[in-house]
Amino acid sequence: MKKTILITFFGLLFLTLTSFSVHKFYVALYQVNYAPEKKMLQITTRIFVDDLNNAIGKKYTKKVTLGAENETAEDVNLLNKYFSEKFYIKVNGQTKPIHFLSKEMEGDVLICYFTIKEVKKINSLEIYNSIITEGISEQQNIMHFNVLGTKNTLLFTESTSKGVLKY
């Protein structure tokens, strides 16, 4: 009898503990500001570093350690390469080069700073963003825009990787 009760108890305990798994939150935030006096777009990204390392590592079949003490120059080069393939902004129909400025860690989030230079006027922005979305279907990339006082937000997912804003 005791054996049956113990088996039942541990069985229920195991079932309870395994049925409540931690649900990870797959989101990245992007802020895009137009600085007309500098004629540039300023872009700040906030991405969970473990998801980004996994996505870059999977794409290039390398172990990537961005944000860690053992981060290498090759890791940063792969970050730039990954962003250039998975993220672009067309200004008034023209693809503009995105320049990586720097990065920093804040907890488990990697913050990256980019600029797009020589933007005299904005009539439209066409954005392509598939950062991490091809590897993690739950990934959401939320982009906030502030252009000449007009604020917009676009959501990019596995099924929606392009967006257009008109000004």
Side-chain angles (χ1 to χ4, degrees):
M1 179 74 174
K2 284 184 179 182
K3 190 174 183 180
T4 306
I5 292 173
L6 279 176
I7 292 173
T8 305
F9 172 75
F10 284 113
L12 287 173
L13 180 64
F14 176 76
L15 182 63
T16 302
L17 292 176
T18 58
S19 65
F20 296 107
S21 64
V22 176
H23 181 265
K24 188 148 163 82
F25 192 56
Y26 296 103
V27 69
L29 296 175
Y30 299 72
Q31 179 65 49
V32 180
N33 295 322
Y34 177 51
E37 68 283 352
K38 296 180 181 179
K39 297 183 176 128
M40 73 169 57
L41 286 171
Q42 300 166 329
I43 305 163
T44 304
T45 69
R46 299 170 87 55
I47 304 172
F48 286 108
V49 72
D50 57 338
D51 297 336
L52 186 59
N53 280 332
N54 290 337
I56 295 171
K58 186 175 179 182
K59 172 122 177 88
Y60 303 112
T61 60
K62 298 230 182 218
K63 181 165 175 48
V64 180
T65 57
L66 290 165
E69 289 182 16
N70 58 341
E71 173 186 284
T72 65
E74 183 182 7
D75 293 338
V76 177
N77 288 338
L78 289 174
L79 170 71
N80 283 317
K81 184 177 179 181
Y82 183 75
F83 262 83
S84 69
E85 293 175 13
K86 302 293 180 188
F87 180 72
Y88 70 74
I89 296 178
K90 287 184 180 181
V91 180
N92 304 329
Q94 289 187 317
T95 302
K96 296 281 192 174
I98 299 176
H99 304 280
F100 173 75
L101 297 177
S102 65
K103 63 176 182 45
E104 63 181 313
M105 285 296 297
E106 186 177 277
D108 57 355
V109 173
L110 183 69
I111 303 170
C112 298
Y113 303 96
F114 299 91
T115 61
I116 297 177
K117 298 178 181 178
E118 300 178 26
V119 179
K120 296 176 181 148
K121 185 179 178 185
I122 297 178
N123 296 320
S124 68
L125 294 174
E126 180 183 327
I127 303 93
Y128 174 77
N129 186 339
S130 66
I131 302 290
I132 305 176
T133 58
E134 73 277 341
I136 301 173
S137 61
E138 297 90 3
Q139 176 70 29
Q140 296 182 344
N141 295 326
I142 301 169
M143 292 188 71
H144 298 290
F145 297 83
N146 188 351
V147 176
L148 299 172
T150 302
K151 295 182 179 186
N152 299 97
T153 299
L154 293 174
L155 175 66
F156 298 90
T157 63
E158 183 181 42
S159 60
T160 308
S161 58
K162 288 186 180 183
V164 176
L165 296 172
K166 301 226 184 244
Y167 297 95

